[in-house]
């Protein structure tokens, strides 16, 4: 039997990657309600959740992590969070809880022991979900304000590259990605294009 109180570094890394994948992909399953389609939310409603500050010509400190991560942190710090979209918060809570439950099973632990082991609580899970929901709102506000879109040429030229990334990063088969994940890939392309815009239009130190 596995040691109930031993979690390997690899397991924790898998947990982090899984949570990241869920936040990027918004992949619904039987454990969750539906994520909000932020692209379909009116600008007026989005502005009820947050207002942007400046998002270009910022002086961004990279520190640890990538320029993309750093610039999104700076943009978020410059924004004002007014409220959190509850549907999106509930979605992320269910995603996070489902992942903790899955990894508790893999480690032969109870869900409560897993939370204790990683220092998570209901309050910290909700705080993380609220932060992720706010990230979604801010991203969509920036994308719209900067008028960033994808054209058909970009979709076609980059599709194969993104298929391979999803295969290598998340373990899907190439056929599954091509047949079932096209819209998710286009969302990733758009997010990456918006991030590239921010990197080009801000200063880093």
């Amino acid at each position: 039997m596995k040691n109930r109180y031993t979690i390997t570094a690899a397991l924790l890394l898998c947990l982090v990657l899984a949570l990241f994948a869920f936040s990027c992909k918004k992949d619904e399953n039987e454990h969750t309600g539906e994520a909000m389609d932020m692209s379909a939310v009116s600008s007026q409603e989005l502005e009820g959740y947050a207002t942007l500050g400046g998002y270009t010509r910022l002086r961004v400190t990279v520190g640890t992590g990538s320029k993309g991560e750093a610039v999104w942190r700076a943009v978020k710090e410059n924004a004002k969070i007014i409220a959190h979209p509850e549907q999106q918060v509930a979605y992320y809570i269910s995603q996070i809880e489902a992942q903790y439950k899955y990894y508790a099973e893999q480690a032969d632990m109870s869900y409560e022991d897993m939370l204790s082991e990683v220092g998570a609580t209901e309050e910290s899970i909700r705080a993380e979900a609220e932060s992720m929901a706010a990230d979604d709102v801010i991203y969509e506000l920036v994308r719209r304000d900067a008028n960033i879109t994808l054209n058909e040429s970009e979709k076609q030229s980059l599709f194969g590259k993104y298929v391979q990334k999803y295969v290598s990063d998340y373990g899907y088969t190439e056929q599954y990605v091509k047949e079932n994940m096209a819209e998710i890939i286009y969302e990733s392309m758009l997010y990456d294009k918006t991030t590239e815009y921010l990197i080009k239009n801000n200063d880093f130190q």
Side-chain angles (χ1 to χ4, degrees):
M1 179 179 290
K2 301 173 186 176
N3 185 332
R4 291 172 59 83
Y5 295 97
T6 299
I7 303 177
T8 66
L11 178 59
L12 289 176
L13 176 59
C14 286
L15 175 59
V16 172
L17 290 175
L19 291 174
F20 175 76
F22 269 73
S23 70
C24 290
K25 294 189 297 179
K26 299 179 177 62
D27 187 19
E28 289 88 11
N29 58 43
E30 68 274 16
H31 297 293
T32 70
E34 290 188 357
M36 294 174 66
D37 179 1
M38 288 295 175
S39 65
V41 177
S42 70
S43 295
Q44 181 178 6
E45 184 177 350
L46 285 175
E47 290 166 0
Y49 298 128
T51 55
L52 291 177
Y55 60 87
T56 60
R57 300 180 182 178
L58 302 177
R59 190 69 175 168
V60 180
T61 301
V62 176
T64 58
S66 67
K67 284 186 176 181
E69 292 167 340
V71 75
W72 278 116
R73 282 196 301 270
V75 171
K76 187 175 183 179
E77 288 170 359
N78 242 18
K80 179 182 179 182
I81 307 300
I82 301 169
H84 296 96
E86 280 303 316
Q87 179 181 337
Q88 199 75 337
V89 172
Y91 169 78
Y92 281 129
I93 288 174
S94 66
Q95 294 286 301
I96 295 167
E97 289 178 342
Q99 287 302 299
Y100 280 132
K101 289 174 183 177
Y102 173 77
Y103 284 106
E105 291 176 2
Q106 297 304 301
D108 192 23
M109 299 172 66
S110 70
Y111 174 68
E112 291 75 17
D113 285 342
M114 170 61 77
L115 293 187
S116 177
E117 187 74 20
V118 299
T121 62
E122 289 184 5
E123 291 76 17
S124 69
I125 289 172
R126 180 172 181 86
E128 182 179 0
E130 288 181 345
S131 180
M132 294 164 76
D135 290 344
D136 290 346
V137 170
I138 291 168
Y139 158 68
E140 184 62 22
L141 285 170
V142 169
R143 187 197 67 76
R144 292 187 192 188
D145 195 67
N147 194 29
I148 298 172
T149 59
L150 289 177
N151 57 47
E152 288 303 316
S153 176
E154 289 171 322
K155 289 181 179 181
Q156 293 177 15
S157 64
L158 294 172
F159 189 76
K161 172 185 174 182
Y162 277 79
V163 168
Q164 292 307 314
K165 179 173 176 59
Y166 272 80
V167 169
S168 63
D169 287 359
Y170 306 125
Y172 296 114
T173 65
E174 183 173 333
Q175 180 180 356
Y176 180 85
V177 174
K178 288 180 177 179
E179 292 178 356
N180 298 280
M181 301 181 68
E183 289 305 315
I184 291 170
I185 284 177
Y186 296 144
E187 289 177 10
S188 294
M189 287 183 190
L190 193 55
Y191 178 85
D192 289 348
K193 186 174 181 179
T194 307
T195 302
E196 290 170 6
Y197 170 87
L198 291 177
I199 290 172
K200 289 178 181 177
N201 288 278
N202 286 285
D203 299 318
F204 294 85
Q205 59 184 13

